Amino acid sequence: MTVSLNYAARSDVGLTRENNQDSGYAGPQLLVVADGMGGAAAGDVASSVAVAHLASLDGDEHSADELLDLLRSAVADAHSDLLAYARDTPKNAGLGTTVIALLRTGATAAMVHIGDSRAYLVRAGTMHQVTHDHTFVQHLVDTGQLTEEEAENHPQRSVLLRVLGDSSAEIELDESVRELRDGDRWLLCSDGLSSYVSAETIADVLAETADPGQCADDLVQLALRAGGQDNITVIVADVTKDATDPGRLPDTTPQVVGAAAVDRKAPTRGGNSPAARAAALTAGSRASSPRQMIRDSSDDEEELDLDAPPRRRPIFTILAIVVVLLMLAGAGTLGYRWTQTQFYVAPDETDGVVAIYRGVPQELGPVSLSSIEERSDIVVAELPPFVQARVEAGIAASSLEAARDTVEGLAAEVSSPETTEPTDDASTAETDPATDPTPSDPSTSTSEATG
């Protein structure tokens, strides 16, 4: 049986962000969502570069045996470009992006995944989460330190342990090969949707809204109604049998949204930006120069908001502003006392170990608003590189107990590093969630590189 994809891609900047660091791509053979991070222009560039490298795979005929190799190679090339960009522009050190990409040939699809963007599959009326988040909180759940319910509202639920970008660590992708079936519906999304809209609500919308475009629009609107605290990117794709009537064939025009599109704040498709030209390909064409795209995107001062705060760390800036306003209003003493109810985890600069700080990581003239509450014996340099970057940026905690939980999780990263590489045999094993003896856990069909 031959099948086609009927797809729709949408992206929205959200209600609190000043720029869109997500990128999405949907084409006849390829679906991609990338959620960038790093502040200023860096997150925009990171997600756009990932999409540009992967989009070059769309529109060509591939054999089923080479799908995973093609995805690995494109991701590795994007990673190399981002490392070079971070090296050449030190102000953008730490940039990165999540990536989830599905590449198909006929009814066979390969998927790679890194980060916390998600893929869901609706088959026979049941929605399955196909991917496994590479987050600090998910690690705590996996090791029995948190329940699923506790994880939903944990303050560190968006801290990533694996990402594509400015890290010298070897790329660890989760990989799988799957069969596409007539009637399947796929959802790829950034955490701007999955972190704010419940899985039950997402499943209801996917089941009730037949048109992929309307379904994607409805999901974006739900995330906005939930507060729209992050960029929101959604791709809905239906698997259909190829029709004999040309008039019933789905549109195969590639759709590119978010940071890779010309209007990064609009939930629309396409555009003429350098990233969009690299990503929105016609059949058989290729992105010729992602490196040039980086240079062009970073020079686009009007489109890129260079004053935007770093993604995932707005709390420190907000806290500092509140403190300053309180002090200027004559409530300096009260403001300082309030800061001392806050905690965060960061390196102790004197001996390079992980420490818990009381206060906020700001200074007001000669006055420091934080001090070390506890030191651990965890050496920052012994943590995985990307975890080091998270610690050095500071991990906020709602209480001293929460900070201690964070340190305990970091200790596990030192004592039990997970570095197992995926094998070709395991990564290409096909599992059908419709026939699997444990359909409630479709992630068993995904061969994951642990980490």
Side-chain angles (χ1 to χ4, degrees):
M1 178 186 70
T2 57
V3 298
S4 300
L5 293 180
N6 183 20
Y7 49 81
R10 302 289 187 267
S11 188
D12 195 287
V13 71
L15 300 179
T16 63
R17 304 286 182 176
E18 295 186 21
N19 64 336
N20 196 342
Q21 298 189 350
D22 288 2
S23 290
Y25 178 93
Q29 278 82 41
L30 178 73
L31 308 175
V32 182
V33 167
D35 181 356
M37 66 203 71
D44 301 7
V45 171
S47 66
S48 297
V49 168
V51 164
H53 277 283
L54 286 159
S56 65
L57 304 177
D58 197 19
D60 287 344
E61 292 296 328
H62 307 295
S63 70
D65 293 339
E66 65 179 343
L67 293 177
L68 278 176
D69 285 338
L70 290 168
L71 288 170
R72 291 187 197 112
S73 178
V75 169
D77 288 345
H79 184 64
S80 297
D81 277 358
L82 292 176
L83 284 175
Y85 178 64
R87 183 174 59 250
D88 295 341
T89 56
K91 68 177 182 178
N92 291 322
L95 87 166
T97 183
T98 71
V99 173
I100 182 164
L102 183 149
L103 178 64
R104 78 173 187 98
T105 183
T108 300
M111 176 181 290
V112 297
H113 165 241
I114 187 169
D116 63 351
S117 296
R118 290 183 179 179
Y120 295 91
L121 170 62
V122 178
R123 175 172 289 178
T126 302
M127 185 180 81
H128 311 272
Q129 182 180 330
V130 175
T131 53
H132 192 73
D133 294 345
H134 302 146
T135 60
F136 174 68
V137 167
Q138 185 61 54
H139 169 77
L140 296 180
V141 173
D142 293 343
T143 55
Q145 300 178 63
L146 281 181
T147 66
E148 293 284 357
E149 292 74 19
E150 291 170 334
E152 288 182 2
N153 298 308
H154 196 282
Q156 276 83 52
R157 66 183 182 275
S158 292
V159 176
L160 295 172
L161 297 181
R162 278 197 254 168
V163 75
L164 188 72
D166 186 16
S167 170
S168 58
E170 188 172 351
I171 303 169
E172 297 181 54
L173 300 173
D174 289 356
E175 304 174 347
S176 64
V177 174
R178 300 171 178 274
E179 177 189 13
L180 300 179
R181 294 187 179 182
D182 181 34
D184 286 351
R185 167 165 280 188
W186 285 86
L187 168 65
L188 273 61
C189 66
S190 63
D191 67 333
L193 175 68
S194 58
S195 289
Y196 301 99
V197 180
S198 70
E200 292 79 7
T201 301
I202 291 173
D204 288 344
V205 174
L206 291 173
E208 296 170 0
T209 310
D211 178 68
Q214 185 61 55
C215 185
D217 288 335
D218 290 349
L219 290 170
V220 169
Q221 287 303 311
L222 284 171
L224 292 174
R225 291 173 191 168
Q229 298 179 44
D230 200 352
N231 306 145
I232 309 149
T233 299
V234 171
I235 295 175
V236 178
D238 291 340
V239 180
T240 61
K241 288 190 295 186
D242 282 345
T244 55
D245 179 3
R248 298 180 56 198
L249 291 175
D251 184 9
T252 58
T253 304
Q255 300 177 20
V256 58
V257 294
V262 64
D263 186 351
R264 302 176 180 191
K265 294 187 178 182
T268 56
R269 69 183 65 174
N272 294 314
S273 70
R277 290 197 299 271
L281 308 175
T282 57
S285 64
R286 292 187 175 274
S288 58
S289 180
R291 293 179 183 274
Q292 183 63 42
M293 184 201 70
I294 293 177
R295 292 192 290 271
D296 292 344
S297 296
S298 61
D299 290 340
D300 190 358
E301 296 294 336
E302 292 187 1
E303 289 190 20
L304 298 179
D305 187 355
L306 299 182
D307 295 323
R311 182 180 182 270
R312 303 187 192 274
R313 294 187 61 239
I315 187 171
F316 292 158
T317 301
I318 293 171
L319 293 176
I321 292 172
V322 170
V323 171
V324 171
L325 290 176
L326 287 171
M327 290 183 174
L328 290 177
T333 301
L334 291 176
Y336 178 77
R337 288 177 179 174
W338 176 80
T339 67
Q340 301 310 292
T341 67
Q342 308 300 306
F343 296 89
Y344 66 97
V345 176
D348 177 358
E349 301 296 342
T350 59
D351 54 13
V353 300
V354 174
I356 297 175
Y357 287 76
R358 178 186 293 271
V360 294
Q362 302 289 337
E363 294 182 356
L364 195 61
V367 179
S368 174
L369 300 181
S370 66
S371 60
I372 292 179
E373 181 76 8
E374 297 179 2
R375 290 179 175 83
S376 74
D377 57 0
I378 303 171
V379 179
V380 176
E382 294 178 357
L383 293 168
F386 192 74
V387 180
Q388 292 180 36
R390 296 294 92 199
V391 174
E392 289 166 357
I395 303 174
S398 58
S399 65
L400 179 58
E401 188 62 31
R404 288 169 176 164
D405 289 343
T406 298
V407 171
E408 185 177 348
L410 294 173
E413 290 295 321
V414 175
S415 60
S416 301
E418 298 170 312
T419 56
T420 304
E421 293 297 322
T423 63
D424 290 340
D425 290 340
S427 66
T428 56
E430 295 187 12
T431 301
D432 181 358
T435 58
D436 192 285
T438 56
S440 61
D441 185 15
S443 62
T444 56
S445 65
T446 304
S447 171
E448 296 186 356
T450 58

